[in-house]
Amino acid sequence: MNSELIVDLHSHSFYSDGTLSPADLIRRAHDNGVDVLALTDHDETKGLVEAQTTADELGLQLINGVEISISWDRNQTIHIVGLNIDPENQDLQAGLLLIRQERVRRAKKIAEKLEKTGIENVWQKVTEKAGFEAVTRTHFARFLVENGYAKDMQHCFKKYLGRKGRAYVNGQWLPMEDAVGWIISAGGQAVIAHPTRYKLTKSKLERLVTEFKACGGVGLEVVAQRYSDKEKAEMTSLARHFELLASVGSDFHNPGNPYVELGRGLSLPTDCKPIWGEWDIK
Ligand code: AMP
Ligand code: MN
Ligand code: MN
Ligand code: MN
């Protein structure tokens, strides 16, 4: 296999909380020299058909993906990426529909909380923009920043939408075994997304990985952008210890973020087993 292959297995389009259309996302990936890209919208697979059309035109290999929100250990949200899924699979689609329904329930509560702080017409303004079912906190954040309620996304999560924010509402997602089960049923491989971002203790992270493996999960995002070298080394050793395959992903959402770019800085430490090692990569 070509060792210079550029692989990015985590990205978003405007079918979830990205800003680009799937076609524009694929074009951007191609311009950046990406050979293999997974589109992994939150709890939604609608963008994959459009992405495939553009990927075929440009000769880029698209991996059908999804990023599923789950609740673990009562109310800790964890993201599970599914790679090489069959988007037509009924178990998967029925599951994703349940999660999007929970997204809408939670979003209405977030809107109510924001309105209580004196911000008007939140629900209407946010759903105008979100347009699709998979409304996320990112849509709220963009609305709040654009209207001057917070100076940037980071502050917005701190002040309103994050765990300690005024309008925080915990999503009641489904358990890990359900999500991993749908991914397997759809012929895919399940990967724990951005494991360093949950701020779990080492022992809790190991428990997460143990339970994930018991459900049939096979991969860990060992490299993501904004990981420190220390985090990369820790995730590499975690993957090796638990015999998990290594995945890499930019988690790209939008152009204009200087820290996050499709396909950039994602090379894998040599002592990892890449999840794409056994894929049919042309
Ligand atoms: P949700 O899945 O609706 O809870 O929204 C989670 C999304 O919000 C993540 O996928 C990120 O895209 C975004 N997000 C979370 N925390 C932050 C943050 N501190 N700054 C910017 N975006 C964030
Ligand atoms: Mn997101
Ligand atoms: Mn995520
Ligand atoms: Mn993501």
Side-chain angles (χ1 to χ4, degrees):
M1 199 199 298
N2 180 356
S3 61
E4 302 200 355
L5 210 59
I6 299 184
V7 179
D8 185 342
L9 301 177
H10 189 153
S11 70
H12 296 272
S13 77
F14 66 21
Y15 283 96
S16 63
D17 58 350
T19 58
L20 298 183
S21 66
D24 285 343
L25 182 81
I26 298 289
R27 277 187 210 109
R28 190 177 182 95
H30 183 255
D31 289 347
N32 287 359
V34 174
D35 301 291
V36 183
L37 181 82
L39 171 59
T40 55
D41 275 317
H42 296 285
D43 311 308
E44 178 61 271
T45 59
K46 265 200 196 113
L48 294 173
V49 172
E50 183 184 328
Q52 189 67 63
T53 306
T54 310
D56 289 345
E57 282 165 19
L58 298 175
L60 179 148
Q61 182 144 356
L62 175 74
I63 302 299
N64 285 333
V66 66
E67 181 176 14
I68 307 182
S69 317
I70 62 142
S71 291
W72 179 71
D73 207 33
R74 273 186 247 193
N75 54 18
Q76 166 81 53
T77 293
I78 302 285
H79 287 170
I80 304 291
V81 162
L83 297 173
N84 279 314
I85 47 151
D86 168 12
E88 309 271 306
N89 180 272
Q90 286 309 305
D91 288 341
L92 176 68
Q93 288 304 337
L96 297 181
L97 181 60
L98 290 176
I99 302 181
R100 295 198 300 271
Q101 286 167 345
E102 168 59 9
R103 282 195 167 281
V104 173
R105 182 202 71 85
R106 182 187 61 153
K108 284 184 178 158
K109 290 210 155 179
I110 294 174
E112 272 169 29
K113 285 196 172 184
L114 287 170
E115 288 180 5
K116 277 198 187 128
T117 74
I119 305 170
E120 289 174 358
N121 289 327
V122 179
W123 179 249
Q124 187 206 332
K125 296 264 178 58
V126 168
T127 47
E128 252 167 34
K129 283 257 162 117
F132 306 95
E133 279 172 319
V135 55
T136 70
R137 284 184 294 165
T138 312
H139 295 101
F140 284 95
R142 289 201 189 110
F143 160 77
L144 292 167
V145 172
E146 278 164 21
N147 290 281
Y149 295 105
K151 72 171 184 195
D152 57 29
M153 299 291 274
Q154 206 60 33
H155 275 87
C156 194
F157 274 85
K158 204 165 170 201
K159 187 169 173 192
Y160 294 107
L161 302 167
R163 242 170 205 286
K164 294 187 180 149
R166 282 195 238 173
Y168 180 70
V169 183
N170 194 30
Q172 309 284 310
W173 319 116
L174 289 159
M176 184 159 64
E177 62 195 87
D178 293 30
V180 174
W182 309 328
I183 291 168
I184 293 171
S185 165
Q189 289 173 297
V191 173
I192 299 178
H194 41 66
T196 64
R197 216 183 285 166
Y198 312 115
K199 309 250 180 289
L200 302 176
T201 59
K202 186 162 187 273
S203 66
K204 218 168 170 190
L205 186 56
E206 289 182 352
R207 185 156 64 82
L208 173 72
V209 168
T210 305
E211 291 179 23
F212 174 68
K213 278 200 76 167
C215 298
V218 295
L220 188 73
E221 249 173 36
V222 165
V223 177
Q225 278 162 3
R226 307 178 82 164
Y227 273 21
S228 64
D229 287 346
K230 181 166 171 271
E231 286 175 323
K232 217 184 274 189
E234 283 168 0
M235 292 310 109
T236 300
S237 114
L238 189 67
R240 282 173 64 90
H241 183 76
F242 285 88
E243 298 183 320
L244 286 167
L245 298 167
S247 189
V248 300
S250 63
D251 204 1
F252 178 89
H253 283 73
N254 54 281
N257 179 342
Y259 303 106
V260 180
E261 185 51 82
L262 288 165
R264 199 179 62 195
L266 295 173
S267 52
L268 207 53
T270 47
D271 45 353
C272 288
K273 229 176 153 183
I275 193 163
W276 60 93
E278 286 171 15
W279 296 353
D280 178 22
I281 292 180
K282 284 144 220 146

